[in-house]
């Protein structure tokens, strides 16, 4: 396995910037109790953005920014399929390939909070378009890269572009979509994130197998260019501008200290397993603890001086957000770890190619997509939907464990499809309302900040899950040869025990999450 806005308070009122028929006034906001103008459509609450370019179709604006979210998530996974072809074509070392894969993920994870806060200050539309332009240009750089070094550099820049545009998707939901319809919007967002996550293998496999124009792996990056250009054009025309009314100068000391702290945490989690957990990885993880403590001190001093901290620490002390963040970390730890061990089992254990493995993911993706859309319509049932998703996922994992252990050396990929359908549906019911539940209680002026923290939690959770499941999977696999189906199936079963434990932990934490349905009642 993804945030900002001056959006609605409990009454559904907004403090979003005013768009006239002429240029956007960046410093103007509508009064929360201002009248509804004749140009406001009936599905927008009072005080929403105005004007023919911004509010005539809020769902159209959401669809445009969701294209950016899809691309940002897709590029985390699509390159996994292309890695062997890249290594052969560029004569890359194993370390180079690891950096090609991890460079994007690292820069993406490290810059998300800063990207969200820059959107608060300079405008969410502006940051989305800047990020999309950077993402598209760096995709060209990746596609034209003559060697490993230039490809690694372009991937790092691509991650920065994704970090600038992804947090703004949450802002569009909060600014344009009225509170009553946000569960549906988050349902669509969850479906898009899930489809992007799970279609990376399939799309990458198709492009590599097609070998378009004899370009081998390069179309994996070229495909971003036309999508990026079209999205830029549509965003300039149909996505309204907004920013946090109280946004002030960026907290540069906080951004620097947080980047150092996240680097010390995320780099060992992402790179440690590939290098056999060397001493530097453990030292980095240990050093991240005082680094985060130093970040807390910096933020308290900024707030005490009347400044605008990168993260208001009291936000992390509020139960709804703290519990929600814990649930997000646990959820994405389970999602990303599943993709790792399932892909390794399908390709290295069962001997499937990338395209065949991608096809196995297709039913999972369809179930996730359908359940995500359904979850948006079940918002009135509150956290019971999340609990149903967690329990369905746990049941699916237990079923997969039983099937793989029973089949042994005769295991085939399609035997586990029914249980994976259950896992996909469970994740769809869990991820979608969880995003809405975490952000639904945030004050309007803090949604940007919370969105950046939420997205960073997704990345950290995914990295932690991959690191933990790698220990279980490779520890069980031992020195088994490729295509030893029985050994790989046994390793898959051992690794999925982690997913069962994570699902149980999520189920135990859910009662601590305030119930949106009860609040509305």
């Amino acid at each position: 396995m993804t945030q900002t806005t001056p959006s609605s308070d409990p009454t559904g009122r907004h403090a979003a910037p005013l768009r006239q028929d002429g240029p956007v006034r960046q410093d103007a906001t509508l009064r929360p109790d201002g009248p509804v103008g004749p140009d406001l459509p009936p599905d927008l609450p009072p005080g929403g953005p105005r004007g023919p370019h911004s509010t005539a179709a809020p769902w159209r604006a959401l669809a445009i920014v969701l294209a950016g979210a899809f691309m940002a998530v897709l590029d985390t996974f699509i390159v996994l399929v292309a890695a062997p072809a890249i290594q052969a074509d560029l004569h890359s070392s194993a370390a180079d390939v690891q950096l090609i894969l991890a460079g994007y993920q690292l820069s993406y994870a490290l810059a998300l909070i800063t990207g969200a806060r820059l959107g608060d200050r300079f405008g969410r539309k502006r940051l989305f378009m800047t990020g999309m332009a950077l993402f598209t240009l760096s995709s060209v750089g990746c596609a034209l890269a003559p060697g490993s070094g230039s490809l690694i550099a372009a991937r790092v820049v691509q991650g920065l572009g994704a970090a600038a545009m992804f947090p703004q998707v949450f802002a569009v939901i909060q600014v344009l979509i009225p509170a009553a319809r946000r569960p549906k919007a988050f349902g669509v967002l969850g479906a898009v994130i899930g489809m992007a996550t799970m279609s990376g293998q399939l799309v990458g496999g198709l492009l590599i197998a097609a070998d378009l124009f004899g370009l081998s792996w390069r179309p994996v990056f070229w495909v971003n260019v036309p999508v990026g250009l079209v999205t830029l054009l549509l965003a300039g025309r149909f996505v309204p501008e907004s920013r946090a009314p109280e946004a002030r100068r960026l907290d540069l000391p906080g951004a620097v200290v947080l980047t150092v702290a996240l680097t010390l945490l995320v780099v060992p989690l992402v790179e440690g397993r590939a290098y056999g957990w060397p001493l530097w990885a453990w030292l980095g993880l240990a050093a991240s603890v005082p680094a985060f403590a130093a970040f807390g001190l910096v933020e308290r001093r900024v707030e005490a001086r009347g400044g605008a901290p990168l993260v208001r620490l009291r936000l992390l002390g509020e139960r709804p957000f703290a519990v929600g963040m814990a649930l997000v970390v646990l959820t994405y730890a389970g999602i990303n770890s599943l993709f790792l061990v399932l892909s390794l089992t399908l390709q290295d254990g069962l001997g499937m190619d990338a395209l065949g493995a991608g096809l196995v993911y297709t039913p999972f993706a369809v179930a996730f997509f359908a359940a995500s859309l359904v979850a948006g319509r079940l918002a009135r049932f509150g956290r019971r939907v999340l609990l149903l998703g967690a329990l369905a996922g746990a049941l699916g994992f237990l079923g997969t464990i039983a099937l793989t252990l029973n089949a042994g050396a005769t295991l085939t990929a399609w035997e586990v499809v029914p249980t994976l359908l259950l896992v996909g549906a469970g994740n769809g019911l869990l991820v979608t309302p969880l995003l809405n539940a975490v952000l639904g209680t945030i004050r309007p002026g803090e949604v940007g900040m919370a969105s950046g923290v939420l997205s960073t939690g997704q990345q950290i959770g995914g990295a932690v899950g991959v690191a933990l499941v790698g220990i279980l999977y490779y520890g069980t696999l031992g020195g088994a040869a490729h295509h030893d189906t029985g050994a790989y199936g046994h390793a898959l079963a051992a690794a999925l025990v982690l997913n069962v434990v994570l699902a149980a932990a999520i189920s135990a934490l859910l009662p601590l999450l305030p119930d949106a349905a009860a609040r509305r009642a």
Side-chain angles (χ1 to χ4, degrees):
M1 349 80 0
T2 7
Q3 307 196 42
T4 105
T5 175
S7 120
S8 66
D9 59 19
T11 66
R13 295 170 177 169
H14 283 51
L18 174 64
R19 177 182 285 276
Q20 305 287 357
D21 291 337
V24 176
R25 290 175 53 202
Q26 295 292 338
D27 59 343
T29 59
L30 286 173
R31 289 175 50 187
D33 56 347
V36 179
D39 55 345
L40 280 175
D43 62 345
L44 283 178
R50 307 166 74 104
H53 299 293
S54 63
T55 62
W59 294 96
R60 177 174 57 192
L62 176 60
I64 293 167
V65 297
L66 284 176
F70 184 89
M71 293 169 64
V73 176
L74 182 74
D75 259 56
T76 304
F77 297 94
I78 195 171
V79 182
L80 290 171
V81 179
I86 292 173
Q87 185 171 18
D89 184 43
L90 299 182
H91 308 290
S92 306
S93 66
D96 289 337
V97 172
Q98 182 64 24
L99 287 173
I100 290 168
L101 297 174
Y104 176 86
Q105 185 180 354
L106 292 172
S107 60
Y108 181 28
L110 297 177
L112 278 165
I113 293 177
T114 302
R117 295 300 271 163
L118 287 173
D120 282 350
R121 175 167 171 78
F122 296 106
R124 284 68 175 263
K125 173 181 177 177
R126 181 178 298 176
L127 256 291
F128 176 83
M129 295 185 67
T130 300
M132 178 60 77
L134 192 62
F135 185 91
T136 304
L137 287 173
S138 57
S139 295
V140 174
C142 290
L144 297 175
S148 300
S150 56
L151 180 55
I152 291 167
R155 284 284 284 169
V156 170
V157 176
Q158 194 181 39
L160 295 175
M165 66 179 176
F166 186 83
Q168 318 314 326
V169 178
F170 289 88
V172 170
I173 292 176
Q174 295 289 105
V175 170
L176 290 185
I177 309 299
R181 299 193 180 188
R182 276 184 211 140
K184 179 181 178 182
F186 276 107
V188 176
L189 173 60
V192 167
I193 292 174
M195 289 296 292
T197 300
M198 287 168 277
S199 61
Q201 294 259 2
L202 180 59
V203 174
L206 286 170
L207 290 174
I208 296 296
D211 190 21
L212 298 173
F213 309 107
L215 293 175
S216 182
W217 54 272
R218 298 181 189 271
V220 165
F221 296 106
W222 279 122
V223 73
N224 293 333
V225 178
V227 178
L229 292 175
V230 170
T231 303
L232 276 171
L233 290 173
L234 293 176
R237 177 70 178 86
F238 296 114
V239 177
E241 185 58 285
S242 68
R243 65 178 186 178
E246 75 282 10
R248 287 172 277 179
R249 187 178 54 159
L250 182 68
D251 172 20
L252 289 177
V256 171
V257 177
L258 179 62
T259 300
V260 172
L262 287 172
T263 300
L264 291 170
L265 174 65
V266 176
V267 171
L269 289 174
V270 172
E271 296 284 83
R273 181 186 59 81
Y275 290 97
W277 294 104
L279 179 61
W280 64 260
W282 296 109
L283 292 175
L285 290 172
S288 69
V289 176
F292 278 110
F295 173 69
L297 291 174
V298 170
E299 296 303 271
R300 285 191 180 94
R301 289 176 181 175
V302 170
E303 192 162 14
R305 294 196 303 265
L310 197 69
V311 176
R312 295 190 189 277
L313 298 182
R314 73 166 186 272
L315 182 66
L316 300 175
E318 296 176 359
R319 194 187 84 174
F321 189 77
V323 174
M325 278 298 302
L327 288 167
V328 166
V329 170
L330 292 172
T331 299
Y332 278 83
I335 291 173
N336 286 28
S337 61
L338 171 64
F339 294 146
L340 171 66
V341 296
L342 186 58
S343 295
L344 289 171
T345 302
L346 292 174
Q347 296 184 58
D348 294 347
L350 276 64
M352 303 182 73
D353 59 17
L355 180 57
L359 290 172
V360 175
Y361 278 103
T362 302
F364 184 104
V366 171
F368 188 104
F369 183 83
S372 295
L373 296 179
V374 170
R377 300 180 179 274
L378 298 178
R380 64 184 181 276
F381 296 107
R383 64 187 177 211
R384 284 175 289 179
V385 178
L386 285 79
L387 182 59
L388 176 62
L391 294 177
L395 185 60
F397 289 128
L398 289 170
T400 306
I401 292 172
L403 282 172
T404 53
L405 292 177
N406 182 63
T410 64
L411 178 68
T412 63
W414 300 106
E415 286 183 77
V416 298
V417 165
T419 54
L420 289 178
L421 279 170
L422 190 56
V423 173
N427 280 331
L429 292 174
L430 175 63
V431 173
T432 297
L434 180 59
L435 297 174
N436 187 36
V438 176
L439 290 179
T441 59
I442 301 302
R443 299 178 185 89
E446 296 180 344
V447 173
M449 178 193 311
S451 302
V453 175
L454 176 67
S455 295
T456 303
Q458 293 173 332
Q459 296 299 311
I460 292 174
V464 169
V466 167
L468 292 177
V469 85
I471 295 172
L472 286 173
Y473 188 81
Y474 286 106
T476 305
L477 190 62
H482 272 31
H483 303 169
D484 185 342
T485 303
Y488 275 87
H490 189 65
L492 175 63
L496 290 182
V497 171
L498 173 66
N499 294 86
V500 175
V501 171
L502 291 171
I506 290 168
S507 301
L509 276 177
L510 278 172
L512 301 178
L513 186 70
D515 197 327
R519 287 199 310 270
R520 283 193 297 272

